[in-house]
């Protein structure tokens, strides 16, 4: 796919869709100052360029009975590329892992794990995480509360694509 440079209208489209991904093309066009047809074309180009990766419903984990967020810092015994890739591929399949980041510093990965309670996290540790061969250590921190959670990328700070 060729490089796609974001102009001001593209940025306004992305910001509007981040705020309301179910907005109609007509409403979006009105918000960004275009007619519907050119607006739809721009949205399609943003999707094709991978700027817009998809559309999701944001759900409340508490209302689903999953109020506990645990941040687990993982140190691997070996950091060879194939070991890193293997770990990432395995945790990507686990539904409890909401986020997984490869890190710099003393730990290799930071996971955000969503569970119903302390017992569920203990089961996750015993049945999954501690059974991986290359895990040297796990440090868990439990979130007491959520101060901010954003699903938007600060479009205005970006340099474009």
């Amino acid at each position: 796919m060729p490089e796609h440079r974001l102009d001001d209208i593209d940025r306004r489209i992305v910001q509007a869709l981040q705020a309301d991904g179910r907005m109609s093309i007509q409403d979006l066009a009105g918000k960004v100052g275009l007619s519907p047809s050119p607006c739809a074309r721009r949205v399609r180009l943003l999707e094709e360029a991978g700027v817009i990766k998809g559309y999701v419903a944001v759900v409340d984990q508490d209302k689903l009975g999953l109020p506990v967020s645990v941040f687990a810092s993982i140190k691997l015994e070996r950091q060879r590329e194939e070991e890193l890739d293997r770990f990432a591929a395995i945790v990507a399949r686990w539904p409890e892992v909401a986020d997984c980041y490869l890190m710099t510093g003393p730990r290799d990965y930071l996971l955000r794990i969503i569970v119903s309670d302390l017992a569920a996290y203990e089961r996750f540790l015993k049945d999954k995480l501690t059974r991986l061969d290359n895990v040297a250590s796990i440090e868990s921190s439990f979130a007491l509360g959520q101060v901010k959670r954003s699903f938007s990328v600060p479009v205005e700070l970006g340099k474009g694509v």
Side-chain angles (χ1 to χ4, degrees):
M1 186 83 223
E3 184 178 291
H4 184 89
R5 292 300 275 166
L6 297 182
D7 64 15
D8 188 53
I9 293 173
D10 289 333
R11 290 178 193 281
R12 290 198 315 256
I13 288 171
V14 171
Q15 286 175 319
L17 287 175
Q18 285 187 127
D20 181 3
R22 296 181 69 185
M23 183 182 306
S24 72
I25 286 293
Q26 289 75 18
D27 291 343
L28 179 60
K31 242 187 193 341
V32 302
L34 290 175
S35 60
S37 188
C39 184
R41 183 182 62 77
R42 281 181 177 255
V43 170
R44 189 184 76 251
L45 289 172
L46 289 165
E47 291 169 346
E48 289 172 359
V51 175
I52 297 174
K53 295 174 82 172
Y55 301 88
V56 298
V58 178
V59 298
D60 185 324
Q61 72 183 68
D62 291 343
K63 291 185 177 166
L64 291 175
L66 298 164
V68 179
S69 286
V70 185
F71 293 87
S73 294
I74 311 298
K75 174 91 175 134
L76 300 180
E77 291 174 356
R78 296 170 303 281
Q79 290 77 28
R80 292 188 308 254
E81 183 176 359
E82 60 273 5
E83 298 288 347
L84 295 171
D85 292 345
R86 181 177 170 274
F87 179 86
I90 291 169
V91 300
R93 294 192 306 257
W94 293 341
E96 300 91 344
V97 177
D99 299 297
C100 176
Y101 295 92
L102 179 61
M103 305 297 289
T104 62
R107 299 290 168 175
D108 298 306
Y109 285 94
L110 178 64
L111 310 180
R112 183 170 67 92
I113 300 154
I114 298 174
V115 291
S116 58
D117 54 28
L118 187 58
Y121 182 63
E122 182 181 8
R123 279 191 309 279
F124 172 79
L125 275 179
K126 288 181 177 178
D127 295 346
K128 293 183 177 179
L129 202 49
T130 59
R131 291 183 184 218
L132 295 180
D133 291 333
N134 194 28
V135 173
S137 66
I138 303 164
E139 289 182 9
S140 302
S141 298
F142 289 79
L144 298 176
Q146 188 176 80
V147 176
K148 178 183 177 183
R149 178 115 197 258
S150 177
F151 297 94
S152 297
V153 174
V155 177
E156 66 279 5
L157 301 178
K159 295 179 182 176
V161 179

